[in-house]
Amino acid sequence: MFAALRMTAAGFLMLAGLIGLGACGGGGGGGASAGTPSQPPPTGGGPTWTAGVYPAASTFKNRCEVVRTGVDIEGNGFPDVQGTGVDERFWLRSWTNETYLWNTEVEDRNPASFSTRRDYFAVLRTTARTASGKDKDDFHFSEATTDYVARRNAAPRATYGAVITSLSSTPPRDFRVRYTEPGSPASTVLAGQPNLVRGSRILRLNGIDLVNANTQSEIDALNAALSPSAAGVATVFQVQDPGASAPRTVTLTSVSLSPTAVNRTAVIDGGGGSKVGYVLFNTFSPFASEQQIYQAIVDMRAQGVSDLVLDLRYNGGGLLAVASQLSYMVAGPARTTGRDFERLRFNAAAGNRNPVTGQTNSPVPFYTTGLGFTLNNSVSLPSLNLGRVFVLSTGSTCSASEAVINGLRGIGVEVVLIGDKTCGKPFGFYPQDNCGETYYTIQFQGVNHIGFGDYADGFIPDNSTASFGVRLPGCQVSDDLTRELGDPSERMLQAALGFRASRACPSLPSAGTLGVPDAASVSRTPGISLELPSPGVMDDNRDMTMPPGR
Amino acid sequence: MIRLTALCLASLAMAACMTAQPAPARLDEMTPASREALSRALAQAVGRASVQLGPLDLTREPAISVLPPQPGPLEGASLAMPELFELVVMDARCYVRRNSDRKLFPVEGLTCRPIS
């Protein structure tokens, strides 16, 4: 089911979990099959549609065609009462009118003219486009609530602890290690050699040629090896490291492991006695992210850094509250006191009320203490008191990561962007269950202290050739798989340090000369595609881009 | 003697008045049983079948955080926040008090004492 929710920007994932060879079909799960809206059966005594008149959504809430009984896996009972499919669609209509950000751009259609809740939900969105021509709303879908709840309760998955990216999924395939998780089998060092390093190309798994295999049985075996079903599965990897003349072989045994939010930190000599902090922050999602980013900044402060490079290139977002805490810790009290990190802009009809919670629409402040996720709320946050921060970015830099950029800009902190265009998601939502289906529809836009939030085409470095996007000082630089993250010679970090020194974008060698072949330049023959699985819980890429057709 | 008795009675009355107000409390020790008792009361307070607690040291501080449901993997801009409570004692009974509305929820099977 979740494979159907695959995200277009997600080209990598924890080397674990489900491999989705050809598993990219349509919807399913929870709703009736999609189809063309058809004429409804007589509605009897059910609700009737009057164009432009919207009864309160609460009128129809939990009135279900199929009533759930018992409790869910969290032990909570279901609120369902007997209703009809038409009731469910009327709820969708009113709920959209009440909470959808662009509710006035949704054509009012008779719910009884559609045959399923999914059909109907699919049209409850704007069809407008951004300046660049992409859909204004490219995150609008639903899934079975059982899947939604199961995923958030999932145990850590079996993994080797390497995040893999696919440069080519058809022969000759090119699968590379993007980074490894600290304390994992992949990052374990034996005789001075980490089992896997950033940029390692996977050549064989258990003796099977990953690069050229082209039979279904081989693909199945590769899938099984890439996605251990449990901890304790041993797999033989043949890999070639960047710059190495010969491959090497390592055996990794899978473990159950959750991704680490702060993957690594470093303090780099900035010249003239100055120190530059580096933090690879990969996700705002797990509650542990609060404590981990706190500890990272404590360490940076203790070491006296005067500049900070925040590596958010793989950070798809998560908890906005932690994004606020991080921003406070960068900027400090003098710049944040009395200012808002982010204000939530709901539809106009909501006024000063959050139409989802019913409460007053209060801004997200710059939090100055722990909030109780994993840091006690009696703990005061440290701050670096910086007027400038360097952010390393790619298209996977999304949502809460972009909120940090925007929130800091809103209080006058200079954000220098090094890398590529961010994904452009100033929007958010509250997933909402009704009758066993969980709906995602955009409900708010985040804007900063000065009211800016129009970055749906992303933030881009100033020298980018892109036509659209909000330009920030900085340099367009592609990701560099030939150097470890945090290595001052890794191209994006190198560019940040160079820009810091000269306010100019340094001339850097291309990827090809640094050892990663240009996948697009390699001759290819048609063959079976080996697809990396969809990201699992909290892996990465909370990019809200949905695949075409969803 | 009469004056002494009156003084004692006045002191007792004053003490009674004082304990009629909830006061921040702590535990002598945090045991699995006390954590379970707390979790039961807090689950009732937030209307969920079960809860996960954030960082706490109730032997020193009364603060308690109830974690929200873990955001799903597609929630890149999640507004989820812990719900904050405080352990309090009133009339020798333990309660958790919700910070947002000061509402009290009794904690059965727990012994706590005021923080002095």
Side-chain angles (χ1 to χ4, degrees), chain A residues 372 374-379, chain B residues 24-31 34-35 38 53-65 85-87 110 112-113 115:
Chain A
T374 45
L375 194 62
N376 196 295
N377 63 352
S378 64
V379 175
Chain B
R26 65 177 182 84
L27 304 178
D28 285 337
E29 61 174 343
M30 188 71 171
T31 65
S34 54
R35 179 175 277 269
L38 270 173
L53 305 185
L56 77 173
D57 181 1
L58 292 177
T59 63
R60 296 175 54 198
E61 297 178 338
I64 303 168
S65 66
F85 291 81
E86 188 177 35
L87 183 68
L110 197 65
C112 51
R113 65 184 69 247
I115 291 178

Side-chain angles (χ1 to χ4, degrees), chain A residues 53-61 63 90-91 93-95 98:
Chain A
V53 177
Y54 298 88
S58 57
T59 309
F60 308 107
K61 185 79 172 80
R63 287 169 54 179
F90 266 87
W91 175 79
R93 172 176 177 262
S94 293
W95 176 69
E98 290 172 7

Side-chain angles (χ1 to χ4, degrees), chain A residues 21-35:
Chain A
L21 274 182
C24 298
S33 61

Side-chain angles (χ1 to χ4, degrees), chain A residues 418-476:
Chain A
I418 306 290
D420 207 347
K421 181 164 83 168
T422 65
C423 82
K425 297 296 174 193
F427 308 116
F429 55 84
Y430 298 79
Q432 177 65 63
D433 165 73
N434 191 52
C435 299
E437 189 79 352
T438 292
Y439 299 94
Y440 299 74
T441 198
I442 290 175
Q443 292 158 322
F444 64 84
Q445 178 178 17
V447 301
N448 64 18
H449 185 72
I450 55 175
F452 179 77
D454 293 327
Y455 53 89
D457 285 317
F459 293 105
I460 56 175
D462 199 32
N463 67 345
S464 167
T465 56
S467 301
F468 300 95
V470 177
R471 290 188 182 275
L472 304 184
C475 310
Q476 177 85 25

Side-chain angles (χ1 to χ4, degrees), chain A residues 271-336:
Chain A
S274 65
K275 294 178 179 177
V276 179
Y278 169 86
V279 178
L280 174 59
F281 193 28
N282 283 341
T283 172
F284 290 89
S285 278
F287 297 142
S289 62
E290 181 186 42
Q291 198 282 330
Q292 289 179 21
I293 193 62
Y294 161 78
Q295 191 58 54
I297 300 298
V298 165
D299 294 345
M300 293 291 133
R301 183 176 164 85
Q303 296 193 61
V305 304
S306 57
D307 264 309
L308 180 67
V309 179
L310 268 179
D311 193 339
L312 303 177
R313 74 181 80 181
Y314 305 133
N315 193 324
L319 296 164
L320 279 171
V322 178
S324 160
Q325 292 175 307
L326 169 59
S327 300
Y328 168 78
M329 290 190 283
V330 169
R335 293 183 177 85
T336 57

Side-chain angles (χ1 to χ4, degrees), chain A residues 373-391:
Chain A
F373 291 108
T374 45
L375 194 62
N376 196 295
N377 63 352
S378 64
V379 175
S380 294
L381 300 179
S383 63
L384 299 175
N385 301 308
L386 300 177
R388 174 179 70 177
V389 66
F390 295 84
V391 171

